[in-house]
Amino acid sequence: MNDLTNNIRPRSSANPNTIQAISSANKPIETPQQNWEVQLTKKGKTPHVVFDNWYTPEEEKNIWKELDWYSSQESIERAENTMVATYDDGTPKSKASRFHIEEFYTLKGRQRSHVFNYMYKQRTQEFHNIIRQIKPFCNSFFSTTADSTLIHYYENNEYYDAHADDYAWSMCIWFVREPRLFDGGDFDFPDSKQKVELKHNRAVFFPSMFEHRVSPVKMHTEPKEVGYGRYTITHFYVAMPRGNIQG
């Protein structure tokens, strides 16, 4: 593995070689106010923020188009065959499909991705004001200099067992088609026994050091095509020396 720095060795998440964007923690921008419903958890072992209606209705439509395009590829990576969190014996903790979407684009080509374009949200003053309430953990977010993005897709009996991410902060955005054709796929922080209900277009933002997991998805029937399971768009934020950032 070719680490970007001697101190970064992701054991659970995106390929470190795809970290290339200036972090959303920097340079707040002004945009129309989002229609978020926010639940802020500052007490307990796992501080986190839940955002419902993360994407606007128009953005949501565009995200679905992009997710369907990734899912239509002939060759789809499996989490268990890539860099992923493992048990002590080396067995992968995840069974799911993965899309390292930064590998689909050049640096300029990223502007063609709705997933990347809609990361303007994390640079808004509104978002920053919410995160500032999670002290002192918020300081590590505002110190980040780069981000990386990964998409997971779960179908029958697929999951991600308890793991932490080797980054500063993680954001998971969930997409599911309704009516839902599966049970399970729940998200929780096992150390604090805090559960965040799986809802479409919901985002959860938390310090990456805290273990989290996704329970197995149980499909009601075998889907006729890919796309009726559970999608997670994950953005990771990390502090890196400027010389190691591409872009």
Side-chain angles (χ1 to χ4, degrees):
M1 177 172 58
N2 182 22
D3 294 335
L4 288 178
T5 73
N6 292 330
N7 296 323
I8 295 180
R9 197 177 79 175
R11 65 176 178 272
S12 63
S13 303
N15 185 335
N17 295 316
T18 64
I19 296 175
Q20 55 189 359
I22 299 299
S23 171
S24 300
N26 293 293
K27 300 179 181 179
I29 60 174
E30 295 298 330
T31 62
Q33 185 170 343
Q34 302 294 309
N35 187 32
W36 294 329
E37 295 178 11
V38 180
Q39 303 173 44
L40 186 65
T41 300
K42 295 185 285 185
K43 298 180 180 179
K45 292 184 179 180
T46 312
H48 61 278
V49 187
V50 174
F51 298 85
D52 285 325
N53 307 317
W54 176 251
Y55 295 115
T56 68
E58 186 61 30
E59 291 170 349
E60 181 185 345
K61 293 177 184 177
N62 289 331
I63 291 293
W64 268 127
K65 292 176 183 177
E66 187 166 343
L67 293 176
D68 286 340
W69 183 77
Y70 293 136
S71 300
S72 71
Q73 304 305 302
E74 292 185 3
S75 178
I76 298 177
E77 285 187 308
R78 296 293 304 172
E80 51 268 41
N81 298 328
T82 63
M83 186 181 297
V84 68
T86 61
Y87 298 102
D88 291 341
D89 64 0
T91 304
K93 287 189 172 183
S94 179
K95 182 180 179 183
S97 297
R98 271 188 170 184
F99 306 94
H100 291 92
I101 67 171
E102 282 154 339
E103 297 176 356
F104 286 71
Y105 305 96
T106 63
L107 288 176
K108 286 188 176 180
R110 283 169 57 106
Q111 63 185 331
R112 298 180 181 275
S113 164
H114 299 298
V115 171
F116 288 131
N117 287 340
Y118 297 156
M119 290 178 72
Y120 77 86
K121 297 170 179 290
Q122 291 93 319
R123 292 166 47 218
T124 61
Q125 193 65 56
E126 181 181 2
F127 183 84
H128 285 200
N129 289 342
I130 293 169
I131 303 308
R132 282 195 180 94
Q133 299 179 58
I134 304 182
K135 297 179 179 179
F137 295 99
C138 63
N139 296 328
S140 62
F141 172 63
F142 294 117
S143 297
T144 62
T145 56
D147 57 66
S148 185
T149 297
L150 174 68
I151 296 175
H152 278 93
Y153 175 70
Y154 304 83
E155 279 194 352
N156 202 33
N157 296 318
E158 296 183 337
Y159 58 89
Y160 204 154
D161 208 350
H163 66 285
D165 301 321
D166 279 342
Y167 296 89
W169 282 74
S170 303
M171 171 173 275
C172 298
I173 308 164
W174 302 323
F175 260 49
V176 295
R177 285 188 162 89
E178 301 289 357
R180 200 172 301 181
L181 300 184
F182 64 88
D183 296 316
D186 296 314
F187 179 95
D188 77 309
F189 299 105
D191 290 337
S192 58
K193 296 180 173 57
Q194 292 171 289
K195 178 180 176 180
V196 182
E197 181 184 355
L198 172 64
K199 289 183 63 176
H200 173 65
N201 199 18
R202 165 174 278 185
V204 57
F205 192 53
F206 56 94
S208 303
M209 69 178 73
F210 293 104
E211 286 201 334
H212 48 285
R213 62 188 172 189
V214 177
S215 67
V217 166
K218 301 292 185 180
M219 303 298 295
H220 300 164
T221 59
E222 187 70 24
K224 296 181 179 179
E225 57 185 349
V226 175
Y228 289 90
R230 179 194 194 280
Y231 284 99
T232 303
I233 301 168
T234 307
H235 300 303
F236 304 101
Y237 300 89
V238 64
M240 295 181 62
R242 294 285 175 173
N244 292 95
I245 303 172
Q246 304 173 32

